[in-house]
Each structure stands twice: as C-alpha cells, then as structure tokens.
Amino acid sequence: MNPQELIQTYSENAQAFIAVARSIPEAKVNLIPAEGEWPAAYVIHHMADAELQFGVRYANALAEDNPAIVAFDEAKFPIALHYEKRSVANSLAAFEAARNLNCEILRNASPEDWNRTSMHPEKGLVHLASLVKLCGAHIGAHIEQLKQAGK
C-alpha cells in the first residue's frame, strides 16, 4: 500500500469504529457481553488509549532518529487507568480528535518520511508505513469486537 492508501484505510476504519460506538445505546455500553470479554465502554477506552500511543509513535518516528517504541500491555490499562470510572463520551472524543490530528500529521509527511524507522521491542526495526498499517488493522479488528459488545 502507498502512504495515501494507508492513511485512507486508517481513517475509514476509525470512522467506522466511531459510527459503531455512537450506535450503541447508553444502557448497553457497560454490559459485559460474555465472561472474559470487555464491555463496549472498555473497547472504546482502549481505542482512545491506543490512538494516543500510536500518535506518540508517529511523532517520534518523524522527529527522532530510530526512536525506541514503548510497548504497552493492553490488559493492564483497564485497571491502571480505571476504565470503570471513565467517560465513554470523553474517550470517544479523544479517539476522534487524536485520529484527526494523526491523519493530518501523516498527510503532511514527505515520501522519505514514510521510510523513517523506529525500534519496536518485539518486532525490531519498523518503518512509519508499518506503524500506520498496524494501527489501521488494529482499529479494524476492534470494530467487530465493539459490535459484539454492544449487542
């Protein structure tokens, strides 16, 4: 995929996620769909947190030479960041705003910028293009989870 296609997939998946999130009735957003599964609220909080993390990765990749990526354990965030007390509206707004900003930054990246690298602790050397592809896929994977959680 070329950079514009990566940004388009990333943006379209985010828009689809936002649409699904907004379609979930408030009465269902905190219901646990099945044992061991996250409620829709937790999926939304997770995506807000992940979008912020990816934004930092993009900025570091563009501004620093081969920066280290700080990995995060998504299983620890719900407890450490008190998902049960967080506002779904704030997380959804944060996700949307961060995605809009990230897309703007990426649209302004030069062709050479897309080859800039970062060091991932598990994957090794990754290019900016790979990070954007990963984030777009991450959002896409959580759309179905959100649909199931909001039933």
Side-chain angles (χ1 to χ4, degrees):
M1 284 185 161
N2 69 45
Q4 295 314 313
E5 291 171 327
L6 290 171
I7 295 169
Q8 183 169 344
T9 298
Y10 170 39
S11 183
E12 287 173 356
N13 284 350
Q15 290 170 6
F17 182 87
I18 292 165
V20 171
R22 288 185 175 147
S23 75
I24 298 170
E26 191 174 332
K28 291 187 176 185
V29 78
N30 287 303
L31 297 178
I32 297 172
E35 188 175 331
E37 296 291 321
W38 282 351
Y42 280 35
V43 177
I44 294 166
H45 299 321
H46 166 69
M47 292 307 299
D49 296 340
E51 191 64 24
L52 294 172
Q53 295 281 335
F54 274 104
V56 169
R57 292 175 182 183
Y58 303 150
N60 287 339
L62 289 164
E64 303 291 337
D65 290 330
N66 201 34
I69 291 175
V70 176
F72 66 97
D73 183 344
E74 69 180 34
K76 293 179 181 176
F77 275 42
I79 296 165
L81 303 182
H82 299 283
Y83 280 11
E84 77 282 0
K85 296 178 184 178
R86 285 176 53 181
S87 161
V88 170
N90 284 344
S91 286
L92 191 56
F95 173 78
E96 187 170 20
R99 185 278 318 240
N100 288 341
L101 181 59
N102 290 337
C103 282
E104 182 178 23
I105 289 167
L106 293 168
R107 284 186 189 101
N108 291 325
S110 71
E112 296 80 26
D113 286 338
W114 286 88
N115 292 319
R116 293 189 58 88
T117 59
S118 298
M119 184 58 70
H120 192 283
E122 296 153 3
K123 298 176 184 186
L125 202 63
V126 293
H127 291 89
L128 177 62
S130 299
L131 292 174
V132 176
K133 184 176 181 180
L134 177 64
C135 184
H138 179 249
I139 296 168
H142 283 292
I143 293 171
E144 190 58 37
Q145 180 188 19
L146 185 60
K147 286 178 182 177
Q148 294 302 315
K151 281 187 176 182

